[in-house]
Amino acid sequence: MFSSIRMIFAVLLITGIAGAGMYVMKLRADNATLKANQIELERGIEEQNKVLEQQKADFEAIMESNKKLNELIGTFKKDLEDLDKRFTKKDRDIGKLAIERTKSIERIINKGGKNAARCIELASGAEHTEEELKATLKSKINPECPALANPNYVPYK
């Protein structure tokens, strides 16, 4: 009887040791899996941080471009208002003037058309000429879009 109890006790001991060994092996495998998951998670976080930084840089670039565009639009609005004032000054009638002074009106309109075409070229990205950059006198500037065509010109009144 004592030998059967010893045998049962030995079997339980061996089973317990084998179970503990298998449990330790399972814990090691789980630990390895968790380490691999942690590494992947950290990589994912790093990639997301890089994406966020790039998005911030892109957003700042967009805001800067938007600011420049708004400044350019404001300049164009001011030039348009100035042009409108020139045409509507003192209740002018361009048609009547064209009949009375055909040659001078034709010269003025042709020069204005040439200046307006240059404004469109500059707004489309053309480079400024040296004359445009050096122009500081009112008689030397492009009156259709002075802020765009002649960046060094400071209007005086």
Side-chain angles (χ1 to χ4, degrees):
M1 178 153 172
F2 188 66
S3 73
S4 63
I5 293 178
R6 281 174 97 187
M7 199 174 203
I8 292 174
F9 184 68
V11 169
L12 286 176
L13 184 64
I14 292 172
T15 306
I17 292 172
M22 293 193 56
Y23 182 71
V24 168
M25 289 174 61
K26 180 190 176 300
L27 287 177
R28 285 183 182 167
D30 288 348
N31 193 19
T33 303
L34 290 173
K35 283 182 182 179
N37 288 345
Q38 179 69 22
I39 291 170
E40 287 297 317
L41 181 62
E42 288 175 1
R43 283 187 195 152
I45 289 172
E46 287 176 11
E47 289 175 10
Q48 286 181 352
N49 285 338
K50 288 177 185 176
V51 168
L52 285 174
E53 290 298 322
Q54 184 62 41
Q55 284 179 338
K56 285 179 185 177
D58 291 346
F59 180 74
E60 289 173 8
I62 289 169
M63 291 304 292
E64 184 65 31
S65 295
N66 194 13
K67 181 180 174 184
K68 288 178 183 177
L69 184 62
N70 285 337
E71 289 174 5
L72 187 61
I73 288 171
T75 302
F76 287 150
K77 283 182 180 179
K78 183 183 177 301
D79 288 346
L80 181 63
E81 288 171 4
D82 291 344
L83 187 62
D84 188 47
K85 286 178 186 175
R86 285 195 321 214
F87 275 109
T88 58
K89 180 167 54 173
K90 298 180 186 173
D91 297 323
R92 273 189 199 164
D93 184 357
I94 299 295
K96 185 177 175 184
L97 283 174
I99 292 170
E100 293 173 1
R101 302 181 195 162
T102 305
K103 291 289 182 187
S104 61
I105 294 295
E106 181 180 353
R107 179 179 43 82
I108 291 168
I109 288 176
N110 287 342
K111 185 177 178 187
K114 182 180 172 187
N115 288 338
R118 182 63 183 152
C119 292
I120 292 171
E121 289 174 3
L122 290 170
S124 299
E127 296 292 323
H128 287 89
T129 64
E130 207 168 306
E131 289 177 3
E132 290 171 336
L133 293 173
K134 289 182 179 179
T136 56
L137 299 175
K138 191 171 185 177
S139 60
K140 301 286 182 184
I141 65 160
N142 182 340
E144 309 311 326
C145 57
L148 178 64
N150 310 103
N152 294 327
Y153 171 68
V154 177
Y156 53 90
K157 294 196 178 195

